[in-house]
């Protein structure tokens, strides 16, 4: 099962909005075939592995898969049909599929055909692997990660805005790995304007995610790197409904950018929940990495829209500057938003901490 989950990760950045799935086939105590879901629209992991078993009798074989096999017709036929046809003896599953088209049906169909089904093996690890898929399929919203590189005393930049470089190269490389894993990376107006980021994947191999800029009044300069688009560098600009019909919006679209019209809240800010819902519904974005500043990070925390925090903490002290979450407004300790520590590790002299909602 551990091997199946390693194989599943080969589909990172390529299979969304589908889940990451890997399969291992064992006969007489030996692995005879492996497979994974290579890309959206391509054969699922189970069929990929089975296709490598031509001429092999699988009646006594065991199939390991990190997610419950599907029973419905989508871009590919049901995996349960292929498993039953080959008369596997046992199927071992880590996670049940929360998709209402599958949930429980895959296991039940297999059992009714006489196949032994074992569930829950390494379930926690498998659930974590597919947390983006699980969030999107059960809620209709993408999974949101807030990422920040900060000093040990909680600052992402000096008062002047200077921030290069707080964390070390290894931490910045890990941040690029994160970009390659998610469907989209988001920044607010201030970050886009002051830092002029590319928001592309560098330092590591991987496909570029969607780039999302929040620009309510479309005031960002069209010469910014964000707006230099092609088939590998795609940008969505979120603005007010009024501005979405403006000449500036039309110009940005001619340059190859997408325009997403957002509802506004009572205080005039763009509605982040509305934006997330539209990103999932219109673009099938299942995960968003937020690389904003204090304003955007604080808004996501206050509105309860962040599922995960990834903080890269350097052993440096500013004493003053721009705080990572400096605009969260609470009146007492009991009001403080709280996350659970999932993982912490050392990267050179930096600390990489992952917190989950």
């Amino acid at each position: 099962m551990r091997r199946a989950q390693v194989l599943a990760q080969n589909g990172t950045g390529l299979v969304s909005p589908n889940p990451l799935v890997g399969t291992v086939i064992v006969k007489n105590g030996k692995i005879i075939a492996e497979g994974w879901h290579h890309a959206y629209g391509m054969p699922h992991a189970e069929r990929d592995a089975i296709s490598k078993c031509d001429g092999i009798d699988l009646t006594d074989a065991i199939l390991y898969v990190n997610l419950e096999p599907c029973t419905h017709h989508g871009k590919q036929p049901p995996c349960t049909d292929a498993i039953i046809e080959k008369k596997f003896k046992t199927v071992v599953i880590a996670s049940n599929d929360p998709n209402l088209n599958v949930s429980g049906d895959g296991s039940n169909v297999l059992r009714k055909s006489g196949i032994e089904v074992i569930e829950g093996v390494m379930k926690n690890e498998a659930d974590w692997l597919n947390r983006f898929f699980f969030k999107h399929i059960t809620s209709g919203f993408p999974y949101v990660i807030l990422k920040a590189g900060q000093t040990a005393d909680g600052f992402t930049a000096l008062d002047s805005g200077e921030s290069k470089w707080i964390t070390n190269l290894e931490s910045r490389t890990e941040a690029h790995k994160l970009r390659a894993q998610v469907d989209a990376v988001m920044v607010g107006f201030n970050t886009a304007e002051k830092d002029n980021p590319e928001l592309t994947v560098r330092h590591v191999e991987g496909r570029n995610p969607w780039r999302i800029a929040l620009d309510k009044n479309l005031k960002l300069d069209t010469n910014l790197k964000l707006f230099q688009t092609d088939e590998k560098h795609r940008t969505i600009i979120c603005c007010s409904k009024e501005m979405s019909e403006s000449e500036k919006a039309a110009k940005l679209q001619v340059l190859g950018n997408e325009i997403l019209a957002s509802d506004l809240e009572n205080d005039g800010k763009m509605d982040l929940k509305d934006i997330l819902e539209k990103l999932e519904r219109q673009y099938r974005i299942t995960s968003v990495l937020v690389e904003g500043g204090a304003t955007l990070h604080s808004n996501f925390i206050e509105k309860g829209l962040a599922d995960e925090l990834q903080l890269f903490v350097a052993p440096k002290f500013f004493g003053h500057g721009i705080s990572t979450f400096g605009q969260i407004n609470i009146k007492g300790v009991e009001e403080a938003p709280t996350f659970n520590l999932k993982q912490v590790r050392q990267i050179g002299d930096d600390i990489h901490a992952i917190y989950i909602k």
Side-chain angles (χ1 to χ4, degrees):
M1 184 59 74
R2 191 179 306 281
R3 177 61 181 162
Q5 295 187 27
V6 169
L7 291 167
Q9 294 176 57
N10 289 328
T12 299
L14 304 172
V15 303
S16 182
N18 283 350
L20 297 166
V21 185
T23 298
V24 172
I25 297 176
V26 173
K27 183 177 175 67
N28 297 326
K30 295 182 179 180
I31 293 176
I32 61 170
E34 298 179 337
W36 65 90
H37 187 26
H38 289 252
Y40 181 69
M42 291 185 67
H44 292 176
E46 298 93 324
R47 288 183 175 272
D48 183 46
I50 291 171
S51 71
K52 300 168 185 175
C53 296
D54 285 347
I56 301 176
D57 182 3
L58 297 176
T59 53
D60 291 325
I62 304 172
L63 184 144
Y64 294 82
V65 61
N66 63 292
L67 188 68
E68 181 181 5
C70 64
T71 57
H72 65 287
H73 284 270
K75 289 186 175 293
Q76 295 292 328
C79 291
T80 50
D81 287 358
I83 295 169
I84 293 169
E85 179 185 344
K86 294 297 182 179
K87 300 180 180 179
F88 278 87
K89 175 185 177 182
T90 304
V91 173
V92 183
I93 299 168
S95 298
N96 290 112
D97 193 331
N99 188 338
L100 294 177
N101 290 325
V102 180
S103 187
D105 286 346
S107 298
N108 292 335
V109 166
L110 295 174
R111 286 193 178 101
K112 287 177 181 178
S113 72
I115 295 173
E116 177 189 24
V117 177
I118 300 172
E119 299 174 285
V121 177
M122 293 187 67
K123 181 181 185 302
N124 290 340
E125 294 88 341
D127 288 353
W128 175 254
L129 177 65
N130 272 314
R131 63 196 186 279
F132 301 165
F133 172 73
F134 286 2
K135 170 75 181 294
H136 124 81
I137 205 70
T138 57
S139 71
F141 286 87
Y143 189 95
V144 176
I145 302 172
L146 306 187
K147 190 274 297 183
Q150 64 175 53
T151 62
D153 53 348
F155 296 103
T156 57
L158 293 170
D159 295 314
S160 63
E162 182 184 352
S163 62
K164 294 184 178 181
W165 292 104
I166 292 176
T167 56
N168 61 33
L169 178 59
E170 292 87 347
S171 289
R172 299 198 297 276
T173 299
E174 286 297 314
H176 280 264
K177 287 182 182 178
L178 259 178
R179 287 182 182 176
Q181 293 170 9
V182 298
D183 289 341
V185 56
M186 175 186 290
V187 294
F189 178 88
N190 291 334
T191 299
E193 182 180 51
K194 294 177 181 178
D195 295 348
N196 191 19
E198 293 181 43
L199 301 184
T200 55
V201 173
R202 303 182 300 281
H203 306 305
V204 298
E205 291 186 5
R207 68 95 178 87
N208 290 310
W210 279 98
R211 301 179 296 186
I212 302 170
L214 304 187
D215 184 10
K216 183 177 74 170
N217 297 312
L218 295 183
K219 290 185 176 181
L220 289 172
D221 192 323
T222 55
N223 291 320
L224 290 174
K225 295 174 183 176
L226 274 173
F227 302 141
Q228 310 311 309
T229 61
D230 55 38
E231 67 278 2
K232 292 184 179 180
H233 306 85
R234 302 171 298 171
T235 300
I236 300 170
I237 302 147
C238 304
C239 63
S240 68
K241 290 182 177 178
E242 179 182 3
M243 290 305 299
S244 70
E245 299 174 354
S246 66
E247 291 185 10
K248 179 73 173 288
K251 179 180 179 180
L252 287 164
Q253 286 174 309
V254 169
L255 292 173
N257 301 283
E258 299 278 336
I259 297 293
L260 188 152
S262 166
D263 291 339
L264 298 182
E265 297 185 327
N266 294 333
D267 59 4
K269 295 180 180 178
M270 285 190 290
D271 187 334
L272 293 178
K273 187 174 182 179
D274 176 61
I275 289 172
L276 291 174
E277 185 176 23
K278 288 174 179 174
L279 288 172
E280 197 278 342
R281 187 174 68 247
Q282 296 179 25
Y283 296 95
R284 304 197 77 181
I285 288 173
T286 67
S287 54
V288 176
L289 178 65
V290 181
E291 297 191 18
T295 300
L296 191 55
H297 278 152
S298 298
N299 284 343
F300 268 100
I301 293 290
E302 284 192 322
K303 292 177 173 57
L305 297 174
D307 298 291
E308 178 177 327
L309 313 179
Q310 295 227 11
L311 302 181
F312 297 86
V313 184
K316 297 176 182 176
F317 296 84
F318 285 176
H320 61 87
I322 300 172
S323 173
T324 310
F325 303 102
Q327 295 190 28
I328 293 176
N329 184 25
I330 63 168
K331 297 179 180 178
V333 173
E334 68 283 353
E335 296 180 11
T338 304
F339 285 69
N340 296 319
L341 180 64
K342 169 69 177 176
Q343 177 183 312
V344 62
R345 64 192 179 109
Q346 186 172 345
I347 304 179
D349 287 334
D350 292 350
I351 294 294
H352 178 204
I354 301 177
Y355 297 89
I356 56 174
K357 194 172 181 179

